[in-house]
Amino acid sequence: MSSPNLDGVAGWAINLMETLGAPGAGLAIALENLFPPLPSEVILPLAGFTASKGNMGLFDAVLWTTLGSVIGALALYGVGAVLGRERVVFIASKLPLVSVSDIEKTEAWFAKHGRKTVFFGRMIPIFRSLISIPAGVERMPILVFTLLTTLGSLIWNTAFVMAGFLLGENWSLVEDYMGIVSKAVLGIVILAVLVFVVVRLSDRRKGKHHA
């Protein structure tokens, strides 16, 4: 199979898949979990495209990319577990505009919604990698975390691998559309951070006036 004219992440990923086959796709997705700038929206359709060319089986592509997702997520879970609550609280106490009560509220929210967050978070750009860290900090049972991560990743990976398989040479259409979604998610995150900063600064000003 000859590689299409691809640059950057796409070129690197398809060369990896051509060299290692389906395990190469799994390795690429494991690295994507650890380094979110490597977008699964590129790697997964490419795996499907590669499968359509006969370089790997479609089932193998889904299997190995899902395995890679789980391995990458478990690595980040380990980072969160090693970091632990005490270090997170200490770091939070040193950050401007962040208080220990913010951490406590987050903990309470995660205790109530953590399972749904881990499952559905695997299907949201950006969050799909980052959600593993608070799960580790909160010491979500490892078997539960692994099961939810596997199921969520299986749905996400299957959809994108199949899209690349069916679109063939036009696999990049997936990247184009998902790039819009990723930018929207990033915009929402930035907006949420700005709102948090404005509200916190406003609360501090009110506190000074009442002091």
Side-chain angles (χ1 to χ4, degrees):
M1 169 184 164
S2 60
S3 299
N5 184 22
L6 297 168
D7 297 319
V9 172
W12 165 78
I14 203 165
N15 287 331
L16 191 62
M17 293 176 206
E18 288 182 342
T19 303
L20 301 177
L27 176 59
I29 287 298
L31 293 173
E32 178 265 336
N33 274 263
L34 297 173
F35 306 102
L38 296 175
S40 64
E41 296 86 349
V42 172
I43 297 170
L44 291 172
L46 266 176
F49 169 67
T50 305
S52 74
K53 292 297 184 181
N55 233 41
M56 69 176 83
L58 182 60
F59 175 81
D60 291 338
V62 173
L63 175 65
W64 279 95
T65 54
T66 301
L67 180 61
S69 294
V70 173
I71 291 173
L74 286 172
L76 289 179
Y77 176 97
V79 170
V82 169
L83 190 62
R85 183 183 185 278
E86 291 185 2
R87 288 189 179 91
V88 171
V89 170
F90 175 78
I91 293 171
S93 67
K94 302 299 181 182
L95 294 175
L97 306 179
V98 179
S99 66
V100 175
S101 64
D102 294 324
I103 300 300
E104 293 172 345
K105 290 174 184 176
T106 302
E107 286 177 329
W109 187 92
F110 197 87
K112 186 175 181 180
H113 303 289
R115 295 189 177 193
K116 290 182 287 186
T117 302
V118 169
F119 176 73
F120 289 108
R122 301 303 308 172
M123 293 173 266
I124 301 175
I126 301 173
F127 286 101
R128 63 189 313 273
S129 296
L130 300 179
I131 192 58
S132 301
I133 296 177
V137 172
E138 294 300 319
R139 298 298 178 96
M140 173 181 280
I142 190 71
L143 291 178
V144 173
F145 174 80
T146 302
L147 177 61
L148 293 171
T149 297
T150 299
L151 292 175
S153 298
L154 180 61
I155 294 171
W156 175 269
N157 293 358
T158 299
F160 280 84
V161 170
M162 284 300 301
F165 184 85
L166 296 173
L167 287 169
E169 297 283 349
N170 295 316
W171 66 268
S172 60
L173 289 174
V174 180
E175 179 190 0
D176 293 340
Y177 284 112
M178 286 308 299
I180 296 172
V181 175
S182 297
K183 289 176 182 176
V185 171
L186 182 60
I188 292 171
V189 172
I190 293 173
L191 179 61
V193 171
L194 289 175
V195 170
F196 172 81
V197 170
V198 169
V199 170
R200 188 50 54 90
L201 288 174
S202 177
D203 289 343
R204 288 195 173 185
R205 290 194 189 99
K206 291 178 181 177
K208 289 180 180 179
H209 288 319
H210 289 298

